[in-house]
């Protein structure tokens, strides 16, 4: 690109407020006015006493105002056109920050950390792509008071601190106390004239909080609706204090099951309310309303966590709407689809029937009935198969296998990368694949380029390597100020960031560090390519082995980093508190991406894709999406090592794992980087979501491009959704 008037200086860029996901700011003086108005009226501060946080909040409110017209218009459009709605149900939405700009204010925003890792971040990327593709989609989740803990490393050990992300309020969300819904728990099942009724329940309320999800370049603004638990007023007046009642209710071993049902029950009430107010629901007298339900509603289950949606939908259709079982079952299966995210047996959900018996007695009956109809009836006499496929596990403590429930109750089941989808069919759910071959699909994961394309190639006069060097310098500064470690800018930034888990093999990386250290010590004069190895990630608080791995890495690091013989040939940095906003700092500065899970264990991985998109080379195993990344870029442009899935299966007897040799030739390296970036297109979540829409949801991106609000002023009447809710 030529230099001159069109090339903005960095300083100019920094002054400009650019907001992710919405059209460029059209009218700077209007924005300034709105900003000042919010500082004055919303935050009640003047310029003398306002803190940077006040400025951040004033800016956030200004941006939200800018989205509001588009948001209302989009929802009106959905109400009028009544397209098929997609409901993405997830116990996690790992959103990170909403406001992005080049100013310091960005750092004030707390991450919305309502997730643990890949699964929750996938849900966030999917929301972005669904809005960008113009799908009438909703994210439904839980508004946890605390996000994932903040990780501190003290004396090499992980220490967890609560993440009070709502401490200063959340400027992006809109509370909707007027749409509170009751959620039932406990109680018993009554039978009257052959009809079942769930009675004497305990009630908790679900209050929705809505956040806007702007599409890129299309004026679509979808909704993420998160439910917050509130105690009913009647309890308030009795001996329970509001907060204490809720805190006591959502506590203990069954907390997770309560949360799962809470999300499902609130969301299904909302879905059915919206369906009934649509043309195909009660408004159309010609059609039997619920027959059209699967044509108007797609419910995607992000893992089995929201799989109680299956018995809950059946309960509503049969017990409340009075639909015969056979029809209710067909409606449920056609509406629901299940994404499997792992084959690790310890991560497959199983709920004790004793717990369900007390907490959700009617749902337990329904699940027994599903099991009876669809398994016991189908395989009379084949005891072994019956036991393998049963929704009810009878060995040891009696449990409900949630994956089996989700498979039987869904019309589509998908894995998240080609290799993973094959493993599911040939191994994990083999019997189910034989029974329902047409239900099994693959949808290789993706990431949204709007958040993750961080390395801006050819932006102005700075060539690719120049941009990379600048990003490395920024990360080096962060490391210097945060950990007081000097890193060698010409070293390879070798990065391994993800949750700490044995299958992800941070230990293998640690062994390699020890090996490199020993090599340097053996022959200090030998020429080596200097490396800075950065490892980061949180360990689950109760996962002792993962915490030991962190301790080992940090201890090895302190030996390596303080050895004068090593100097700047090798440095180890533990990146504390790995989270979305830290990932955004790391990805564009990486040279080498570590994706070294044991073949057959990482279902897809998405961290691998973020690195690829930003030009880092991958050292990895033939696992998850690495396999497809290699297909896209060609095997000359990736460092693959270790065993294949089949060899791992054989090995569970012998073995040694060799690490790939890095060919370090700066020119070749740059070439490989460009091959990586240029072939990363497949891993956009826009591609993933287009496939879900076509093959699972049966939806089309809506054909319209909404005009921006200023082109066609809004009439501020009641939102149609709101009007419908009041009926
Ligand atoms: C992308 C991402 C992950 C997932 O990383 P994997 O390497 O696929 O496990 C986890 N945490 C954060 C913060 C992420 O951004």
């Amino acid at each position: 690109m030529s230099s001159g008037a069109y090339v903005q200086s960095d300083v100019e860029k920094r002054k400009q407020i650019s907001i992710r996901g919405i059209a460029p700011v059209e009218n700077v003086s209007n924005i300034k006015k709105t900003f000042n108005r919010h500082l004055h009226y919303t935050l009640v501060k003047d310029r003398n006493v306002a803190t940077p946080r006040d400025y951040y909040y004033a800016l956030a409110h200004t941006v939200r105002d800018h989205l509001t017209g588009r948001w209302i218009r989009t929802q009106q459009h959905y109400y009028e056109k009544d397209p098929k709605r997609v409901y993405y149900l997830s116990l996690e939405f790992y959103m990170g920050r909403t406001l992005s700009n080049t100013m310091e204010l960005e750092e004030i925003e707390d991450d919305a950390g309502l997730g643990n890792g890949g699964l929750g971040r996938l849900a966030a990327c999917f929301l972005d792509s669904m809005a960008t593709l113009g799908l009438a989609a909703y994210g439904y989740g839980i508004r946890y008071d605390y996000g994932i803990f903040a990780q501190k490393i003290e004396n090499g050990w992980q220490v967890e601190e609560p993440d009070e992300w709502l401490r200063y309020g959340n400027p992006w969300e809109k509370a909707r106390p007027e749409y509170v819904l009751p959620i039932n728990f406990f109680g018993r099942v009554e039978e009257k004239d052959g009809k079942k009724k769930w009675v004497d329940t305990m009630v908790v309320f679900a209050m929705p909080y809505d956040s806007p999800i702007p599409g890129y370049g299309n004026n679509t603004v979808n909704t993420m609706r998160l439910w917050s638990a509130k105690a009913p007023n009647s309890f308030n007046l009795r001996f329970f204090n509001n907060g204490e009642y809720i805190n006591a209710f959502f506590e203990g071993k069954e907390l997770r099951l309560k949360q799962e049902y809470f999300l499902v029950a609130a969301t299904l009430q909302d879905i059915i309310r919206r369906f009934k107010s649509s043309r195909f629901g009660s408004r159309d007298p010609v059609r039997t309303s619920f027959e059209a339900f699967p044509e108007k509603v797609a419910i995607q289950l992000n893992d089995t966590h929201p799989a109680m949606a299956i018995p809950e939908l059946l309960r509503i259709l049969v017990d409340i709407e009075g639909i015969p079982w056979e029809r209710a079952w067909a409606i449920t299966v056609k509406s629901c689809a299940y994404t499997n995210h792992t084959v690790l047996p310890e991560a497959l959900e199983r709920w004790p029937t004793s717990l369900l018996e007390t907490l959700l007695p009617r749902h337990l009956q329904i699940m027994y009935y599903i099991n009876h109809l669809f398994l016991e009836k189908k395989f009379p006499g084949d005891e072994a198969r019956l036991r393998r496929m049963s929704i009810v596990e009878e060995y040891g403590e009696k449990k409900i296998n949630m994956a089996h429930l989700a498979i039987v109750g869904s019309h589509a089941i998908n894995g998240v990368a080609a290799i993973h989808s094959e493993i599911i069919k040939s191994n994990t759910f083999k019997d189910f694949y034989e029974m329902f071959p047409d239900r099994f699909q693959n949808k290789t994961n993706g990431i949204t380029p709007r958040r993750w394309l961080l390395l801006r190639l050819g932006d102005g006069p700075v060539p690719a390597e120049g941009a990379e060097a600048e990003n490395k310098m920024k990360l080096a500064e962060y490391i210097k100020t945060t950990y007081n470690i000097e890193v060698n800018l010409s070293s390879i930034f070798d990065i391994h960031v993800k949750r700490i888990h044995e299958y992800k093999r941070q230990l293998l990386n640690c062994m390699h560090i020890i090996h490199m250290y020993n090599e340097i010590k053996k022959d200090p004069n030998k020429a080596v390519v200097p490396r800075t190895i950065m490892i980061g990630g949180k360990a689950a608080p109760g996962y002792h082995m993962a915490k030991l791995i962190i301790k080992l890495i940090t201890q090895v690091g302190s030996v390596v980093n303080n050895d004068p013989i090593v100097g700047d040939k090798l440095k180890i940095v533990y990146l504390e508190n790995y989270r979305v906003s830290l990932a955004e700092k790391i990805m564009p500065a990486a040279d080498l991406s570590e994706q070294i899970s044991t073949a057959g264990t990482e279902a897809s991985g998405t961290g691998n894709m973020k690195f690829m998109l930003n030009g880092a080379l991958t050292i990895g195993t033939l696992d998850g999406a690495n396999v497809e990344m290699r297909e896209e870029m060609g095997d000359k442009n990736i460092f693959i090592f270790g065993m294949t899935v089949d060899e791992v299966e054989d090995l569970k007897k012998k073995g040694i794992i060799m690490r790939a040799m890095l060919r370090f030739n700066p020119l070749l390296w740059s070439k490989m980087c460009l091959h990586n970036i240029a072939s990363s297109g497949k891993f956009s979540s826009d591609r993933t979501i287009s496939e879900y829409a076509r093959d699972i949801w049966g939806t089309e991106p809506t054909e319209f491009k909404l005009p921006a609000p200023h082109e066609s002023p809004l009439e501020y009447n009641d939102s149609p959704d709101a009007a419908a809710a009041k009926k």
Side-chain angles (χ1 to χ4, degrees):
M1 199 179 287
S2 71
S3 59
Y6 290 103
V7 179
Q8 287 178 308
S9 75
D10 249 30
V11 181
E12 282 168 319
K13 273 192 212 156
R14 264 180 251 279
K15 277 194 283 190
Q16 192 183 57
I17 298 163
S18 70
I19 289 96
R20 209 197 293 282
I22 64 168
V25 174
E26 315 98 32
N27 188 332
V28 175
S29 95
N30 258 349
I31 294 276
K32 279 184 182 164
K33 258 184 230 156
T34 314
F35 178 88
N36 287 329
R37 192 163 46 75
H38 276 300
L39 193 64
H40 191 87
Y41 291 106
T42 309
L43 294 147
V44 196
K45 290 276 178 93
D46 66 29
R47 295 255 176 188
N48 299 315
V49 293
T51 63
R53 174 165 288 110
D54 295 320
Y55 289 127
Y56 158 71
Y57 275 87
L59 182 56
H61 278 106
T62 306
V63 173
R64 206 190 78 175
D65 286 357
H66 192 79
L67 287 175
T68 301
R70 292 172 168 88
W71 195 6
I72 292 174
R73 284 192 65 91
T74 302
Q75 302 311 311
Q76 284 180 338
H77 179 84
Y78 293 162
Y79 181 76
E80 284 153 15
K81 292 278 143 53
D82 199 23
K84 184 169 187 177
R85 310 301 210 285
V86 173
Y87 295 103
Y88 196 82
L89 271 61
S90 180
L91 269 285
E92 300 183 22
F93 285 94
Y94 204 170
M95 304 295 283
R97 290 175 178 151
T98 299
L99 193 69
S100 166
N101 55 59
T102 47
M103 305 182 309
E104 275 158 45
L105 285 187
E106 180 180 353
E107 292 298 316
I108 293 167
E109 182 171 1
D110 282 315
D111 279 35
L114 308 183
N116 286 294
L119 176 145
R121 183 55 233 177
L122 184 77
C125 285
F126 280 6
L127 294 185
D128 183 88
S129 285
M130 290 188 292
T132 296
L133 293 174
L135 297 180
Y138 303 77
Y140 272 94
I142 294 180
R143 184 178 177 273
Y144 304 102
D145 289 334
Y146 295 89
I148 175 130
F149 65 87
Q151 179 195 55
K152 288 263 156 66
I153 303 293
E154 286 177 10
N155 193 25
W157 296 99
Q158 168 174 297
V159 175
E160 298 103 30
E161 289 185 349
D163 168 40
E164 293 183 65
W165 73 297
L166 294 169
R167 190 175 31 207
Y168 301 102
N170 175 0
W172 303 106
E173 68 187 9
K174 178 71 188 84
R176 305 234 182 250
E178 68 276 28
Y179 305 142
V180 150
L181 295 171
I183 310 296
N184 296 288
F185 290 97
F186 302 106
R188 60 193 173 81
V189 182
E190 219 176 56
E191 193 168 345
K192 251 193 220 152
D193 330 314
K195 284 194 81 178
K196 299 275 174 50
K197 230 180 135 189
W198 185 19
V199 297
D200 293 345
T201 56
M202 210 169 183
V203 176
V204 167
F205 284 116
M207 194 207 278
Y209 286 76
D210 292 347
S211 297
I213 306 292
Y216 178 77
N218 63 357
N219 294 317
T220 293
V221 181
N222 282 343
T223 301
M224 175 176 71
R225 177 162 278 187
L226 302 183
W227 301 101
S228 178
K230 308 282 173 206
N233 275 332
S234 54
F235 282 96
N236 240 343
L237 299 171
R238 287 201 233 153
F239 40 88
F240 289 109
N241 160 289
N242 187 341
E244 274 171 29
Y245 170 77
I246 283 297
N247 291 340
F249 183 79
F250 282 100
E251 235 169 49
K253 175 167 130 53
E254 68 271 33
L255 163 73
R256 174 70 179 190
L257 180 59
K258 284 176 178 166
Q259 288 176 330
E260 291 182 357
Y261 179 67
F262 177 79
L263 165 62
V264 155
T267 304
L268 277 171
Q269 287 184 65
D270 226 26
I271 292 174
I272 285 167
R273 187 217 81 223
R274 194 172 290 119
F275 171 73
K276 283 185 168 179
S277 74
S278 78
R279 261 187 302 143
F280 290 86
S282 58
R283 283 200 289 155
D284 187 342
V286 183
R287 302 195 60 163
T288 323
S289 47
F290 275 98
E291 290 307 310
F293 190 79
E295 293 160 38
K296 304 308 286 179
V297 171
I299 298 171
Q300 190 66 37
L301 308 174
N302 196 21
D303 213 308
T304 58
H305 314 153
M308 288 299 293
I310 291 163
E312 174 68 357
L313 182 52
L314 281 161
R315 187 187 69 82
I316 295 168
L317 296 177
V318 174
D319 294 359
I320 299 175
E321 301 293 340
I323 295 170
W325 175 275
E326 298 295 328
R327 283 172 60 199
W329 177 253
I331 291 167
T332 301
V333 173
K334 277 190 225 160
S335 306
C336 293
Y338 155 56
T339 304
N340 173 273
H341 285 271
T342 179
V343 297
L344 301 183
E346 68 269 26
L348 295 173
E349 286 191 300
R350 295 174 165 90
W351 289 110
T353 54
S354 57
L355 179 57
L356 286 160
E357 179 88 66
T358 28
L359 195 65
L360 301 165
R362 178 63 184 132
H363 298 80
L364 183 62
Q365 283 184 346
I366 290 170
M367 291 187 283
Y368 281 149
Y369 193 54
I370 296 170
N371 200 44
H372 168 71
L373 284 180
F374 285 85
L375 296 169
E376 290 173 25
K377 263 180 139 185
K378 292 258 162 38
F379 305 105
D382 191 347
E383 280 297 320
R385 181 178 287 265
L386 224 147
R387 212 184 347 267
R388 288 198 306 270
M389 295 182 75
S390 183
I391 293 171
V392 186
E393 292 184 349
E394 306 257 13
Y395 37 87
E397 194 183 3
K398 200 168 164 184
K399 286 176 179 162
I400 298 293
N401 183 315
M402 298 301 282
H404 292 186
L405 171 69
I407 292 170
V408 172
S410 298
H411 71 283
I413 298 110
N414 75 283
V416 290
I419 191 176
H420 167 64
S421 297
E422 287 307 313
I423 289 170
I424 282 175
K425 290 193 288 185
S426 64
N427 217 308
T428 324
F429 303 131
K430 187 168 187 280
D431 294 311
F432 291 96
Y433 175 59
E434 287 169 2
M435 187 176 180
F436 309 116
D438 298 338
R439 291 190 185 184
F440 284 77
Q441 301 192 22
N442 173 245
K443 294 287 165 281
T444 300
N445 281 168
I447 55 171
T448 170
R450 272 74 64 183
R451 185 170 293 255
W452 296 111
L453 181 54
L454 294 150
L455 185 73
R456 299 213 162 78
L457 294 170
D459 183 12
V462 195
E465 287 109 287
E468 236 261 345
E470 203 180 302
N471 284 307
K472 285 178 79 169
M473 214 145 74
K474 275 191 207 151
L475 184 58
E477 268 168 39
Y478 175 84
I479 290 166
K480 173 70 186 161
T481 53
T482 319
Y483 311 111
N484 198 27
I485 299 175
E486 297 271 2
V487 307
N488 177 357
L489 281 174
S490 56
S491 65
I492 291 180
F493 281 18
D494 171 343
I495 306 188
H496 196 177
V497 285
K498 49 185 74 248
R499 289 300 295 256
I500 307 297
H501 207 291
E502 286 156 280
Y503 86 81
K504 292 178 183 278
R505 294 202 294 194
Q506 284 91 357
L507 255 184
L508 179 62
N509 194 350
C510 194
M511 298 304 162
H512 183 239
I513 293 170
I514 295 168
H515 169 75
M516 284 189 289
Y517 176 72
N518 288 338
E519 291 291 296
I520 294 169
K521 295 286 276 188
K522 233 182 356 196
D523 183 1
N525 296 319
K526 195 175 139 191
V528 297
V529 181
R531 282 207 209 202
T532 303
I533 299 180
M534 306 178 206
I535 302 177
K538 292 171 185 176
Y543 190 175
H544 183 60
M545 186 59 77
K547 290 182 155 179
L548 279 175
I549 292 169
I550 294 176
K551 176 65 173 165
L552 178 65
I553 293 164
T554 53
Q555 291 305 117
V556 168
S558 73
V559 172
V560 172
N561 295 350
N562 295 304
D563 191 327
I565 296 197
V566 174
D568 66 0
K569 288 179 190 158
L570 186 60
K571 279 275 183 293
I572 314 302
V573 179
Y574 199 90
L575 294 166
E576 218 170 295
N577 202 24
Y578 179 60
R579 61 197 185 285
V580 173
S581 59
L582 185 54
E584 289 171 28
K585 291 189 173 74
I586 292 166
M587 298 298 162
D591 295 306
L592 189 61
S593 159
E594 298 269 355
Q595 307 298 337
I596 61 176
S597 54
T598 310
T601 62
E602 186 74 273
S604 164
T606 48
N608 46 5
M609 301 168 187
K610 297 168 196 166
F611 283 103
M612 180 187 185
L613 182 59
N614 288 287
L617 302 188
T618 299
I619 180 162
T621 48
L622 282 178
D623 198 18
N626 297 352
V627 176
E628 290 157 80
M629 284 165 50
R630 171 172 165 262
E631 274 170 22
E632 294 298 303
M633 70 178 78
D635 59 6
K636 292 194 302 294
N637 295 306
I638 185 167
F639 306 109
I640 294 290
F641 74 97
M643 291 178 289
T644 62
V645 173
D646 292 342
E647 287 163 350
V648 171
E649 286 302 314
D650 286 349
L651 176 83
K652 292 178 177 166
K653 300 145 204 164
K654 36 182 172 173
I656 184 161
I657 294 171
M658 296 282 291
R659 240 180 109 88
M661 294 286 291
L662 291 186
R663 300 180 292 274
F664 189 72
N665 163 343
L667 207 66
L668 180 62
W669 192 282
S670 296
K671 244 175 100 173
M672 291 170 74
C673 284
L674 289 175
H675 272 288
N676 268 258
I677 299 168
S679 52
S680 64
K682 172 173 177 184
F683 306 101
S684 163
S685 47
D686 294 351
R687 187 269 312 150
T688 313
I689 288 299
S690 304
E691 292 178 6
Y692 274 91
R694 187 190 62 204
D695 306 334
I696 299 180
W697 303 331
T699 52
E700 299 267 342
T702 40
E703 283 293 321
F704 71 100
K705 189 174 168 181
L706 279 171
H710 66 274
E711 294 163 30
S712 155
L714 240 191
E715 285 182 22
Y716 284 91
N717 50 359
D718 248 4
S719 112
D721 235 25
K726 279 185 206 142
K727 283 191 216 153

